[in-house]
Amino acid sequence: MIIFKKVDDITNFLSIAKENGVATGFVPTMGALHNGHISLVTKATIENQLVICSIFVNPTQFNDSKDFEKYPVTIEQDIYQLEKAGCTVLFLPSVEEIYPNGLEGHRHFELGFIETILDGKYRPGHFQGVCQVVHKLLEIMLPNKLYLGQKDFQQCLVLKKMASINYPSIQIIICPTQREADGLAMSSRNSRLTKEQRLVAIEIYATLQMVSNKSKPGNTYILKQSAVQYLTSKGFKVDYIEIANANTLEPVEDWNGKEKIVVLAAAFLNEVRLIDNLLINN
Ligand code: PAF
């Protein structure tokens, strides 16, 4: 695996690959890699000749500075795992390399409704930051395919929108959420949970399953409320439990039983914010 830290160096390298028609797959990450990330890399190695992964903890997407400061960094282990999974190129830039003109005053992305709800509402500016960095990374990599994890469901829809406008030829591949044996969605933030919190954390997935099992045509309000109450009783501070259209994320108040829906949750255990989702009838 070749590691690049400078935009110019990786650009030169990739331009030669592209001149030779090499199919490239790109997996953007913030490091602290787990099997969720590795499943994206593995899929990319099957579908491409060259697999590029980036590790960059992007400061512009953290609306909470504490979350940014405490974001886990495990670079040695990450490099080892990527190499083992068959990643060909790792891009490991500094903040100055990605944002040479500083962190302020970036282009605004018109994302519309999708950034006004759920994580867009509870983490103001988050998706603008995600788009800023992914736009920049795609400009550098110009991959054939971009790999994203379903765990960040809203992020997938936001990036699909951003890419469809700015990079229409890039194919977006959404890969299923990887889970621990007890169902907890794999996430870099899980490493910040205490032993006790880790045991409680499985309740998010249990709640999503409960909502999925009990979903039936009609009003969704009581089901959502009982899910919030359940998680709260387990010690979570719930940002949201929402049942939404799986393509637009418009909340579904009265389900007709046919519309493709997804249930999404975001909740804190102490200061660790966990998210998860489940497609219901897709
Ligand atoms: O999902 C993530 O880890 C990040 O939001 C991403 C896509 C790498 C952008 O920083």
Side-chain angles (χ1 to χ4, degrees), residues 24-40:
T24 54
F26 174 47
V27 183
T29 81
M30 298 206 295
L33 302 183
H34 48 68
N35 280 341
H37 299 110
I38 298 304
S39 72
L40 306 184

Side-chain angles (χ1 to χ4, degrees), residues 61-69 123 268 271:
Q61 71 184 74
F62 286 85
N63 54 314
D64 173 357
S65 57
K66 259 194 273 156
D67 192 28
F68 176 57
E69 282 153 25
R123 302 185 68 189
F268 283 89
E271 59 179 28

Side-chain angles (χ1 to χ4, degrees), residues 28-30 37 56 58 61 71 126 130 133-134 148 152 155 159:
T29 81
M30 298 206 295
H37 299 110
F56 179 66
N58 173 35
Q61 71 184 74
Y71 203 82
H126 168 66
V130 170
V133 74
V134 175
L148 300 169
D152 299 302
Q155 171 171 280
L159 289 178

Side-chain angles (χ1 to χ4, degrees), residues 11 187 274:
T11 307
S187 163
L274 300 172

Side-chain angles (χ1 to χ4, degrees), residues 92-162:
L92 208 55
S94 63
V95 173
E96 293 71 33
E97 200 60 24
I98 295 293
Y99 298 114
N101 302 321
L103 298 180
E104 304 297 327
H106 290 287
R107 162 179 176 181
H108 183 85
F109 290 85
E110 283 309 325
L111 299 170
F113 171 75
I114 198 138
E115 91 166 320
T116 64
I117 46 156
L118 307 174
D119 270 16
K121 177 173 160 199
Y122 285 92
R123 302 185 68 189
H126 168 66
F127 289 124
Q128 287 297 320
V130 170
C131 284
Q132 279 154 13
V133 74
V134 175
H135 182 272
K136 173 91 193 178
L137 291 168
L138 291 179
E139 192 176 39
I140 300 166
M141 313 300 173
L142 286 175
N144 298 88
K145 294 181 180 178
L146 168 67
Y147 293 82
L148 300 169
Q150 192 203 309
K151 202 209 107 206
D152 299 302
F153 195 87
Q154 191 172 7
Q155 171 171 280
C156 291
L157 294 187
V158 163
L159 289 178
K160 263 187 174 172
K161 178 157 190 180
M162 186 280 283

